[in-house]
Amino acid sequence: MEVFFYYAILIVLISNFIFERWLDYLNTTNWSSELPPELLGIYDKDKYQKSQKYEKASHRFTLVTETLGFIAILLIFATGGFGWLDGIIRSRVSNPIHVALAFFAILGLVTEIVSLPFKWYDTFVIEEKFGFNKTTRRVFLIDQIKGLIIGAIIGGIILYLIVWIYLIAGNLFWIYSLLVIAIFSVFMLLFYSSLIVPFFNKQTPLADGDLKDTIRAFSNKAGFLLDNVYVIDGSKRSTKANAYFTGLGRRKRIVLYDTLINDLDKEEIVAVLAHEIGHYKKHHVISGLFFSLMTTGLMLYIFSLMSSYPAFAQVLGSNVPSFHLALISFGILYSPLSLLFGLSLHCLSRRNEFQADRFAAENYKGEYLASALKKLSINNLSNLTPHPAYVFFHYSHPTLLQRLKKLAEIQ
Ligand SMILES: [Zn+2]
């Protein structure tokens, strides 16, 4: 059994890596120095060339980091590194919950430290070179520390509860832990904007003026309270612009980046807002939550059936079965299935984006949304011609050209 698991894990790790690199490679075959005709006249040649260079730089960066990550995990796995770490912790700590917490804390901290220079390079070399970066070194370092502390607190609490349930609930482990995850997900949807975001960004109500009046007129008509529209200081870190809808019930909110407000005209901003209201009207947050809880439930159920196999720990170099080692072995073996679920979630999300676009076109004006999407794509140097296979597996949003085409059909 152990030998079977050993090769199964190796095969999954290697084929995942090859598959992802193959998708990346397909994307490079779609690079084109020709501007798509839909954008002629609005995308100048120099800027388009810059977007191609940005695409290439990002591709190289991903190739290097993913390859190093792959080699690292392969080495740790082949040398029994996970079992070794487990043994060291066990020689000092006896409570199984504390062993699991220490195990993931050390893994998390090491991953964080090792990935720090790469995040630094991405922010201060690549993003800087293409004019996106606004993050100061101070903000960058404080972000990392805050992220680490918040992640440790939230992750620690969830992990503590789940390992505790694992140790006492037997066959019903998957139901109780799914319940914990569901309650936590709803809690995060309700309070993420008011509890977590303020550690990193300022969110303010729209300033009085022409824009606010125009937005009020539209949001009244669409039945969305203006009090739930916020502006966030995204410009503190990057020139890239965005907007999103989050939350549930009375705690729903639409968040517009200050960069978006600077980049777009008034009508275009209202069109983006209309798209976000579309997400709310079509209940996309709830359907997304429901779908991800279904897939998490299935994963927990299969995990609860298999996690007691001693081979899950043995294959990682330990003779003591445990929740955390089983989670690592299982996580790797399960990854082809989670790829499949991720893919379905992306399909659902792309369908939702089309629905929100349609809502904006029917309730406001499609041509303003189209021009907003074009401007955002150009300013963010988005890849205009990703390979369809790459889009199918990895894109949560349809491509710009797909969205423009659908918007034109609605008109
Ligand atoms: Zn959207």
Side-chain angles (χ1 to χ4, degrees):
M1 198 65 170
E2 190 197 327
V3 176
F4 169 76
F5 272 19
Y6 184 83
Y7 286 106
I9 286 179
L10 267 187
I11 289 169
V12 169
L13 282 175
I14 294 170
S15 40
N16 268 353
F17 180 74
I18 294 176
F19 179 69
E20 291 298 333
R21 301 292 70 71
W22 176 68
L23 283 181
D24 279 353
Y25 163 75
L26 284 181
N27 244 358
T28 71
T29 62
N30 251 26
W31 283 341
S32 159
S33 51
E34 295 289 312
L35 188 62
E38 290 87 340
L39 297 170
L40 277 174
I42 58 158
Y43 211 148
D44 71 68
K45 239 190 151 58
D46 287 352
K47 187 115 197 222
Y48 182 65
Q49 262 166 16
K50 192 175 163 193
S51 85
Q52 299 288 299
K53 283 186 186 143
Y54 182 54
E55 194 52 39
K56 280 173 192 160
S58 307
H59 172 76
R60 273 196 301 272
F61 181 71
T62 309
L63 185 63
V64 171
T65 51
E66 291 293 316
T67 306
L68 290 175
F70 172 66
I71 293 170
I73 185 105
L74 223 48
L75 281 176
I76 295 171
F77 173 66
T79 57
F82 292 112
W84 171 79
L85 177 61
D86 177 65
I88 289 192
I89 298 169
R90 269 179 204 289
S91 68
R92 290 169 171 78
V93 183
S94 57
N95 181 322
I97 302 180
H98 297 168
V99 176
L101 284 173
F103 182 83
F104 285 116
I106 293 170
L107 272 192
L109 194 64
V110 170
T111 311
E112 194 65 33
I113 292 168
V114 173
S115 62
L116 198 63
F118 297 99
K119 282 190 204 163
W120 182 280
Y121 183 86
D122 186 32
T123 307
F124 295 110
V125 178
I126 300 180
E127 295 290 299
E128 185 82 40
K129 184 178 166 197
F130 289 91
F132 291 127
N133 181 43
K134 291 278 171 241
T135 316
T136 61
R137 281 151 174 68
R138 193 183 131 82
V139 167
F140 178 86
L141 287 173
I142 295 175
D143 276 357
Q144 305 308 313
I145 295 167
K146 280 185 198 165
L148 206 60
I149 294 172
I150 293 170
I153 294 172
I154 295 178
I157 293 172
I158 300 274
L159 189 67
Y160 189 99
L161 284 173
I162 288 183
V163 182
W164 177 65
I165 294 169
Y166 181 78
L167 293 172
I168 59 167
N171 289 340
L172 294 177
F173 156 73
W174 72 279
I175 295 185
Y176 290 125
S177 44
L178 181 62
L179 205 65
V180 166
I181 292 171
I183 292 170
F184 173 73
S185 305
V186 172
F187 177 83
M188 277 317 240
L189 270 177
L190 291 174
F191 297 103
Y192 175 76
S193 293
S194 48
L195 283 183
I196 308 290
V197 178
F199 282 109
F200 299 94
N201 284 92
K202 273 200 189 70
Q203 299 170 99
T204 43
L206 272 168
D208 286 330
D210 200 17
L211 176 65
K212 188 173 180 176
D213 296 338
T214 316
I215 286 184
R216 182 186 286 121
F218 177 77
S219 61
N220 280 348
K221 200 182 79 179
F224 191 91
L225 263 184
L226 189 66
D227 293 352
N228 298 323
V229 181
Y230 287 82
V231 181
I232 197 168
D233 58 344
S235 60
K236 185 177 162 187
R237 296 192 181 78
S238 172
T239 62
K240 287 182 178 173
N242 206 350
Y244 61 90
F245 172 74
T246 180
L248 285 175
R250 291 176 65 181
R251 302 194 67 91
K252 62 182 171 294
R253 68 170 73 183
I254 288 175
V255 179
L256 304 170
Y257 279 48
D258 55 354
T259 41
L260 179 114
I261 291 177
N262 284 332
D263 291 351
L264 302 183
D265 296 335
K266 196 172 67 181
E267 289 80 5
E268 293 166 340
I269 298 170
V270 179
V272 170
L273 187 94
H275 168 99
E276 301 304 335
I277 293 179
H279 282 308
Y280 160 64
K281 292 277 176 185
K282 305 279 176 189
H283 311 292
H284 290 159
V285 167
I286 295 177
S287 59
L289 174 69
F290 187 72
F291 185 85
S292 61
L293 285 178
M294 295 272 289
T295 57
T296 306
L298 183 67
M299 186 198 77
L300 287 168
Y301 176 67
I302 303 176
F303 178 74
S304 72
L305 295 180
M306 302 174 71
S307 64
S308 56
Y309 291 174
F312 270 139
Q314 284 160 1
V315 73
L316 297 182
S318 168
N319 285 320
V320 192
S322 61
F323 171 85
H324 49 280
L325 291 180
L327 191 65
I328 293 211
S329 304
F330 178 80
I332 297 170
L333 290 171
Y334 189 76
S335 60
L337 257 184
S338 59
L339 180 83
L340 211 66
F341 290 137
L343 171 93
S344 327
L345 194 63
H346 281 147
C347 282
L348 177 76
S349 166
R350 289 194 301 265
R351 192 204 60 152
N352 290 349
E353 290 306 323
F354 279 135
Q355 280 188 355
D357 281 356
R358 174 177 283 276
F359 179 88
E362 286 171 355
N363 292 278
Y364 193 62
K365 281 202 175 98
E367 61 259 39
Y368 288 131
L369 183 61
S371 70
L373 292 174
K374 284 180 202 168
K375 275 192 192 169
L376 291 174
S377 256
I378 293 172
N379 290 352
N380 294 352
L381 298 180
S382 309
N383 185 0
L384 297 176
T385 54
H387 192 277
Y390 191 93
V391 174
F392 184 67
F393 280 97
H394 287 309
Y395 269 45
S396 62
H397 286 57
T399 67
L400 174 69
L401 298 183
Q402 287 170 331
R403 294 175 79 175
L404 293 180
K405 194 170 157 228
K406 269 271 191 334
L407 279 171
E409 281 167 18
I410 298 168
Q411 304 283 312

